Amino acid sequence: MELPFVKYSTSAQKTPSIFILLILAVVVLGLIPLYHPFNWYPPGLSITQNPSEISPNYHADEEQKIEINEAETCDIFNGEWVWNPDAPYYTNTTCTEIHEHQNCMKYGRPDGDYLKWRWNPNECELPIFKPYQFLDLVRNKSLAVVGDSVARNQMQSLICLLSRVVYPVDISDNPDQSFKKYKYATYNFTLAIYWSPFLVSTKEVEADGPCHTGLYNLYLDEADEKWTTQIEGYDYIILNGGHWFARCSVYYENNQRVGCRYCGLPNVTELPAAYAYQRAFRTSLKAINNLENFKGVAILRTFAPHHYEGGNWNEGGDCARTRPYRSNETTLEGQNLEQYRIQVEEFKAAEKEGKMKGKRFRLLDTTRAMLLRPDGHPSKYGHWPNENVANDCVHWCLPGPIDSWADFLFHMFKMEGIRSLEEKLQ
């Protein structure tokens, strides 16, 4: 059965009058500098000139002002992937933030069509990410990404797309590479990542465990303080979680063991991963609602499905497809469907509670778009052929389909700007 995707609009609740729209246009356009320095890449980086690797059509002078012309009621998350000859907008030689396991160009992926698609909503156009305009939108603001390695994948994609303008300065105050903080000084924009793959308090009790991926104690009613104690001052946070919940874990609530997943412990109830998944998101979103000093926008990013075929990750499974699916060629089902429904259900509950507390929640629904991209994973092209490493059908090549998440954010942040201005004019 195909999932009935709910249309979560990023629009404001009221349609402003023509008078207010004119004011908004003047104010928004006045915020944007009329000219930007024509500096695409930081000094010292070798720029690949091959048109098949990077678009030659990026022009800074096309970004002189922000045009907010998207349909405000458009469901940007329901659509198809369409051919985009201008992509990609960076390469592995022009962005220094690409980790080895995402570096499909370096490790010799022979096909290149996976780079040449953009997401196109059914009801409107979704503008391609424009780095100068994005940086102007987030001037004097801050964004924290909280979650797992796919969250880090998203942050690296954003840094790579912004590298056409400027690279940030690393201002991390934690030596742990899983907690990074960057500053775009010219724009006074802070970007951070907080590693918390389960979102709740976690203790690794075995490095190997029965699943050979570690054994973890998850305290499902305690949000992870590694991120909850850090986010109150941020203007935006993006929360996500997904693939780690398939790992062997023991579940605790009220400091009492309530069950586990594949833990192999005697007299412990075996529970599905969905049990922990629902409680972890419920706990995390409630923690945000309970943060009295958090005045920002909390964004829940729905998970991106993996695309293993022919076996699981440890059974020789792979993702060798070279083109996206059309929306009528696949459907969300099984565990993927269950996880998606849990996220939407918990989001709606948190959003309802948040409105009574003056909190703002938004849904960044990447599930449908990424379900259609079995071609965008590193597969065996995240390492050298002689390395004994499993095929990667979870993370995303950089550049690759995950760059479209910046298109979503670009649209959502513009809509937030409209909402903010409308509120001030009321």
Side-chain angles (χ1 to χ4, degrees), residues 119-167:
W119 181 249
N120 186 44
N122 291 334
E123 301 172 355
C124 60
E125 286 292 323
L126 181 65
I128 293 291
F129 181 85
K130 295 183 178 180
Y132 279 116
Q133 291 186 8
F134 182 87
L135 285 168
D136 276 322
L137 283 172
V138 297
R139 188 186 294 273
N140 300 319
K141 296 185 183 297
S142 54
L143 166 64
V145 184
V146 179
D148 56 20
S149 54
V150 180
R152 184 169 59 234
N153 206 172
Q154 178 183 11
M155 186 190 72
Q156 290 162 329
S157 165
L158 183 59
I159 291 175
C160 286
L161 288 165
L162 293 175
S163 70
R164 291 176 289 171
V165 177
V166 65
Y167 267 96

Side-chain angles (χ1 to χ4, degrees), residues 251-377:
Y251 306 144
Y252 290 82
E253 294 179 82
N254 296 318
N255 287 318
Q256 299 294 317
R257 189 168 60 193
V258 296
C260 75
R261 174 177 171 79
Y262 302 150
C263 65
L265 297 176
N267 302 319
V268 179
T269 304
E270 182 74 19
L271 295 172
Y275 179 91
Y277 199 65
Q278 184 161 35
R279 281 155 179 78
F281 274 95
R282 183 173 299 170
T283 296
S284 300
L285 294 170
K286 185 173 289 292
I288 294 172
N289 266 324
N290 290 337
L291 289 174
E292 293 185 5
N293 296 323
F294 177 67
K295 307 300 182 184
V297 179
I299 301 171
L300 172 59
R301 182 185 63 75
T302 62
F303 79 103
H306 68 72
H307 291 93
Y308 284 104
E309 295 184 76
N312 292 324
W313 68 272
N314 57 348
E315 299 171 340
D318 200 2
C319 41
R321 296 180 185 268
T322 58
R323 291 181 65 84
Y325 289 122
R326 298 284 297 175
S327 61
N328 61 357
E329 292 178 327
T330 188
T331 187
L332 201 63
E333 57 189 5
Q335 183 68 29
N336 288 335
L337 175 58
E338 188 169 22
Q339 286 184 274
Y340 178 80
R341 281 181 167 161
I342 286 171
Q343 286 185 306
V344 172
E345 179 181 319
E346 295 304 322
F347 168 80
K348 291 171 68 176
E351 182 185 37
K352 182 178 180 180
E353 179 185 347
K355 284 181 179 179
M356 295 185 292
K357 295 183 175 183
K359 304 292 186 185
R360 292 173 288 169
F361 285 86
R362 307 287 182 252
L363 194 69
L364 174 53
D365 191 344
T366 57
T367 302
R368 167 61 67 91
M370 305 316 283
L371 176 68
L372 304 182
R373 292 307 305 268
D375 58 319
H377 301 287

